[in-house]
Amino acid sequence: MPSNNLPDLSDSVVAAQSLLGWKLVHETPEGIVSGYIVETEAYDMSDPASHSFGGERARNAPMYQEAGTIYVYFIYGVHYCVNIVTGPKGHGQAVLIRALEPVDGVELMKQRRGVDNTSQLTNGPAKLVQALGIATSLNGQQVGGVLRLEPGFTPQEITQTTRIGISKAVHELWRYYVTGNQYVSKP
DNA sequence: CGTAAGATGAAG
DNA sequence: TTCATCTTACGG
């Protein structure tokens, strides 16, 4: 449950739930785009599916920074995904933002995504990165600058289930989404 | 060194 | 179901 001030970023599993309903806002030269966070996944250094598993390296370094650090990674040669780092500095934790409900700048998002269907704009981790115009230059920065969190809504009900696209720790219930929301990703 | 697989998405 | 096509991890 989000508070009125800031989401709880003390732990990735807690934060994954706490972040649901918060508005993720990106201020860009072309305009402001934003959306409510409706789907998340929690990752931790003790989790074999996590990029932070096995210790700190160049690629996962942002995950070991303080809570609120932005972690953007490149995957499959084509896509980018964005995480919000959680936990104390030195602990490799983060929450993957998997889906948003578009709020501001829908036209700009359509333009960036090259699609006209609002329901296909931000219903996947790489889709929302493209729609918001998030670049790797944000990697390692803190939320609160051009990319920030603002209060949104309090989810009525949250569904907890297994994560998507991983091959390790597949049984862990570390994916959360706003029950019934139409912008949740469909694998 | 070579090679395979990866927190995905779009097209065929 | 396949492919796009980059980076890292790991084996020889």
Side-chain angles (χ1 to χ4, degrees), chain A residues 79-119:
Chain A
H79 299 296
Y80 295 90
C81 299
V82 66
N83 291 246
I84 294 175
V85 174
T86 61
K89 188 179 168 78
H91 287 246
Q93 287 195 339
V95 172
L96 171 67
I97 309 301
R98 286 197 55 90
L100 300 178
E101 176 180 331
V103 179
D104 303 305
V106 173
E107 285 311 310
L108 182 52
M109 291 193 226
K110 287 180 177 176
Q111 198 178 313
R112 285 186 174 136
R113 292 268 300 115
V115 301
D116 196 38
N117 188 344
T118 304
S119 67

Side-chain angles (χ1 to χ4, degrees), chain A residues 21 24 30 56 83 90 101 120 164 175 177 182:
Chain A
L24 185 64
E30 298 80 29
E56 182 173 350
N83 291 246
E101 176 180 331
Q120 299 295 305
I164 292 177
R175 174 176 172 236
Y177 61 85
Q182 65 165 310

Side-chain angles (χ1 to χ4, degrees), chain A residues 9-96:
Chain A
L9 299 181
S10 62
D11 172 83
S12 61
V13 169
V14 172
Q17 299 161 80
S18 183
L19 280 163
L20 293 176
W22 280 78
K23 189 161 83 163
L24 185 64
V25 183
H26 192 203
E27 201 172 321
T28 72
E30 298 80 29
I32 289 184
V33 285
S34 73
Y36 297 125
I37 297 172
V38 297
E39 182 181 351
T40 58
E41 283 180 4
Y43 289 88
D44 182 80
M45 58 196 292
S46 65
D47 164 19
S50 173
H51 291 170
S52 56
F53 185 73
E56 182 173 350
R57 294 175 298 275
R59 163 149 120 147
N60 61 26
M63 290 185 73
Y64 285 83
Q65 294 305 305
E66 61 188 305
T69 301
I70 299 163
Y71 171 47
V72 181
Y73 67 86
F74 187 52
I75 191 74
Y76 296 132
V78 215
H79 299 296
Y80 295 90
C81 299
V82 66
N83 291 246
I84 294 175
V85 174
T86 61
K89 188 179 168 78
H91 287 246
Q93 287 195 339
V95 172
L96 171 67

